[in-house]
Amino acid sequence: MAAKTDIKSLFRDELAARLAGWREPAYRADQVLQWIYQKQVELFDQMSNLPAPLRQKLAESFELCAVRNVRTRSSTDTTEKFLFELHDHSLIETVLIPATPGLTTSSDRHTVCVSTQVGCAYGCKFCASGLEGVKRNLSAAEIVDQVVALQRLTLQRPTNVVVMGMGEPLANYDAVMRALRILNAPWALGIGARKITVSTAGVAPRIKQLADDPMQIRLAVSLHGATDQVRERIMPVNKKYPLKELLAACDYYCNTKHRMMTFEYILIDGVNDTLEQAHKLGAMARRLRAKVNLIPCNPVEGLPWKRPDRDRCKMFQHTLREHGIAATLRIEKGTDINAACGQLRLQHEKV
């Protein structure tokens, strides 16, 4: 028996072609898509305006739900973290992040942070996702369904998507871009391309590929060190793509897209929080006209890092602003529910 296709991995024209092959009228594709993305049903049999034989044929040919919620944790700051199980029993994490008062003009903004791999091969030294390596890439449907399932579970319509969860998105490039096109499509969730951000550890060749893609999504680079010596302590990928090569790729992205990019910079006490690093980061960001998000390090069991005190974080931010950089010092969210990437998955697997 042939394996079923994940229906949330299909573009509208691909689904329409399958239905046309079954001699179904053209409007059936839009009916099915409405049930999937607007009404978010979990069974084909719930698609009540479709003929019963078609519902049966859809169920025999397609998988409708690629993820299943097994655990939810809610923070006092209203951040919610979901542990999803996949068909092969692998576990991934998805986070719903509310708007931060004072940092956004909209109180209705709901940002979904999605995963793109089971685990991660890049081994960033502050991140729990890579502690046990990478198991596999996610399919486009498994990425899309994180957002759909989260909306169904919370009754909150996502306005923004950040691809910053478990895994390196640009190491799973084709599936990630297919998923983002589906999330962006008006027949699916219609999330604006400029409200979608892809975060990378610094896979330079793929940054250039992303620059050449016509989709106007945003780029964030996890920098975490302003010199090769410091960055290599934190980001092993820097040995393959050192700062010179990474910054050249970022230059290409900014010049091609004519868009501002963001540097993500986790502040780690005694490692990358010196004023020397701040000045070098400021010069780097000014060259690229980049914003900087400063993130105090989240404590992770099994990792030695700790966050600097608040005054030291503020001084680092002040130094960047002296360089004319838009630098945000993020208010930590979800610390009480272990919202850093990979933590909930590891805890669940140890039980």
Side-chain angles (χ1 to χ4, degrees):
M1 184 177 178
K4 293 182 180 181
T5 300
D6 278 313
I7 200 166
K8 290 190 182 85
S9 69
L10 297 181
F11 293 133
R12 182 188 179 282
D13 59 343
E14 293 170 336
L15 176 61
R18 292 285 290 271
L19 294 175
W22 297 348
R23 300 186 181 279
E24 292 290 338
Y27 62 82
R28 290 291 187 216
D30 289 322
Q31 286 182 313
V32 172
L33 291 169
Q34 185 179 47
W35 282 110
I36 294 171
Y37 293 109
Q38 272 69 57
K39 299 181 181 179
Q40 298 171 353
V41 296
E42 298 181 76
L43 297 170
F44 287 108
D45 203 43
Q46 294 172 316
M47 299 181 177
S48 56
N49 63 348
L50 302 183
L54 175 57
R55 282 181 268 161
Q56 182 176 348
K57 200 165 187 178
L58 287 167
E60 291 170 351
S61 303
F62 296 109
E63 294 285 358
L64 181 54
C65 294
V67 306
R68 180 180 72 87
N69 187 39
V70 294
R71 190 173 176 186
T72 304
R73 297 193 69 179
S74 299
S75 170
T76 54
D77 63 21
T78 71
T79 298
E80 291 184 89
K81 189 167 196 174
F82 299 83
L83 187 68
F84 288 129
E85 185 179 47
L86 311 178
H87 290 307
D88 63 358
H89 305 298
S90 295
L91 298 172
I92 59 169
E93 299 173 3
T94 308
V95 182
L96 176 65
I97 308 165
T100 301
L103 292 183
T104 176
T105 56
S106 174
S107 60
D108 296 325
R109 190 173 79 178
H110 297 95
T111 299
V112 181
C113 180
V114 300
S115 295
T116 56
Q117 295 179 307
V118 180
C120 184
Y122 281 73
C124 301
K125 300 303 183 182
F126 55 85
C127 182
S129 292
L131 286 176
E132 296 184 357
V134 66
K135 292 185 178 179
R136 67 172 177 86
N137 287 332
L138 298 190
S139 68
E142 289 168 334
I143 298 168
V144 170
D145 206 25
Q146 292 173 64
V147 184
V148 176
L150 188 145
Q151 181 171 337
R152 184 176 65 246
L153 290 164
T154 65
L155 303 180
Q156 301 286 357
R157 181 171 176 80
T159 58
N160 296 64
V161 172
V162 292
V163 190
M164 296 183 182
M166 289 169 48
E168 166 52 57
L170 299 189
N172 187 18
Y173 188 89
D174 291 341
V176 167
M177 294 307 295
R178 172 174 278 265
L180 296 183
R181 286 187 169 87
I182 292 169
L183 292 171
N184 171 244
W187 46 261
L189 295 187
I191 297 172
R194 296 191 179 195
K195 294 187 176 182
I196 298 173
T197 300
V198 171
S199 178
T200 175
V203 186
R206 293 296 194 180
I207 291 174
K208 291 182 178 179
Q209 186 176 355
L210 189 67
D212 291 329
D213 191 286
M215 196 174 181
Q216 290 295 312
I217 57 180
R218 297 178 181 273
L219 172 68
V221 172
S222 295
L223 199 66
H224 312 319
T227 60
D228 285 322
Q229 182 181 15
V230 170
R231 193 168 190 261
E232 281 180 17
R233 287 186 64 190
I234 305 166
M235 309 281 290
V237 68
N238 197 75
K239 295 176 182 177
K240 186 171 184 179
Y241 304 115
L243 281 171
K244 183 178 180 181
E245 186 173 351
L246 173 58
L247 294 177
C250 292
D251 265 329
Y252 182 80
Y253 175 90
C254 292
N255 291 331
T256 302
K257 289 287 196 190
H258 306 292
R259 300 290 305 280
M260 179 179 283
M261 60 166 292
T262 300
F263 284 134
E264 303 282 347
Y265 197 96
I266 289 181
L267 289 164
I268 304 171
D269 185 50
V271 177
N272 65 351
D273 60 342
T274 66
L275 294 186
E276 178 190 11
Q277 288 288 299
H279 285 298
K280 289 182 180 297
L281 175 60
M284 204 178 290
R286 188 174 64 246
R287 163 187 156 185
L288 290 163
R289 301 180 299 281
K291 299 186 297 182
V292 176
N293 279 342
L294 298 173
I295 310 155
C297 179
N298 250 331
V300 174
E301 183 181 350
L303 296 177
W305 312 118
K306 63 178 184 177
R307 66 179 53 156
D309 63 43
R310 192 72 179 170
D311 287 344
R312 192 163 180 83
C313 293
K314 290 291 247 182
M315 181 59 70
F316 198 99
Q317 179 189 33
H318 177 72
T319 304
L320 291 176
R321 287 179 170 174
E322 286 182 330
H323 284 266
I325 305 305
T328 300
L329 181 59
R330 187 178 298 176
I331 298 170
E332 303 89 56
K333 287 184 176 291
T335 304
D336 57 326
I337 59 167
N338 295 318
C341 295
Q343 287 181 281
L344 185 55
R345 167 177 166 257
L346 288 179
Q347 286 179 353
H348 189 84
E349 289 178 340
K350 287 176 181 177
V351 173

